Amino acid sequence: QVQLVESGGGLVQPGGSLRLSCAASGSIFNIQAMGWYRQFPGKQRELVADITSDGRTNYADSVKGRFTISRDNAKHMYLQMNSLKPEDTAVYYCNADIKTAWGTRYRDYWGQGTQVTVSS
């Protein structure tokens, strides 16, 4: 069984910072791309940033220059969020493209989500 677990969400004032973490565990053979998504109430989940296994990154225009995605090994990913704005308030989800030890192809896995609230 594969699990993605996010941590690091919470309440922060506008202009503040938070660092989200995502840890993958279970019978994992390999992980290709990983990414962070967010979901606003009543809206579809949207990409925040993603990172390939060789470190190439991609960001939504709304977070460029403020957020930084990184991976320190194959199974851990981070999102450093600076200069947070009230409009960044959302549930943030970790996503990974994983091939399990018993699988024959890669498939998407999701974490349970972590709430980020930016408010004074």
Side-chain angles (χ1 to χ4, degrees):
Q1 188 171 348
V2 171
Q3 275 194 313
L4 295 178
V5 178
E6 302 102 335
S7 60
L11 173 65
V12 64
Q13 291 189 339
S17 298
L18 281 176
R19 188 185 192 223
L20 304 183
S21 300
C22 173
S25 63
S27 299
I28 295 170
F29 176 75
N30 193 46
I31 301 176
Q32 291 186 325
M34 298 183 79
W36 290 98
Y37 288 72
R38 65 186 179 185
Q39 190 167 21
F40 304 109
K43 302 288 188 180
Q44 285 192 329
R45 210 168 285 186
E46 64 178 39
L47 176 69
V48 177
D50 57 22
I51 184 167
T52 63
S53 56
D54 59 356
R56 286 174 288 131
T57 59
N58 174 56
Y59 294 91
D61 287 343
S62 58
V63 306
K64 281 181 182 176
R66 300 188 298 122
F67 291 9
T68 302
I69 189 171
S70 61
R71 288 171 74 166
D72 63 0
N73 59 41
K75 296 183 180 179
H76 291 83
M77 176 181 65
Y78 307 94
L79 186 68
Q80 179 65 42
M81 304 186 294
N82 298 328
S83 302
L84 281 160
K85 304 174 181 180
E87 52 263 43
D88 293 317
T89 296
V91 179
Y92 285 71
Y93 295 90
C94 171
N95 170 266
D97 196 20
I98 296 173
K99 186 176 183 181
T100 61
W102 63 85
T104 58
R105 60 183 180 86
Y106 288 86
R107 53 161 288 194
D108 266 351
Y109 286 85
W110 293 90
Q112 81 287 354
T114 185
Q115 176 70 46
V116 170
T117 302
V118 185
S119 175
S120 54

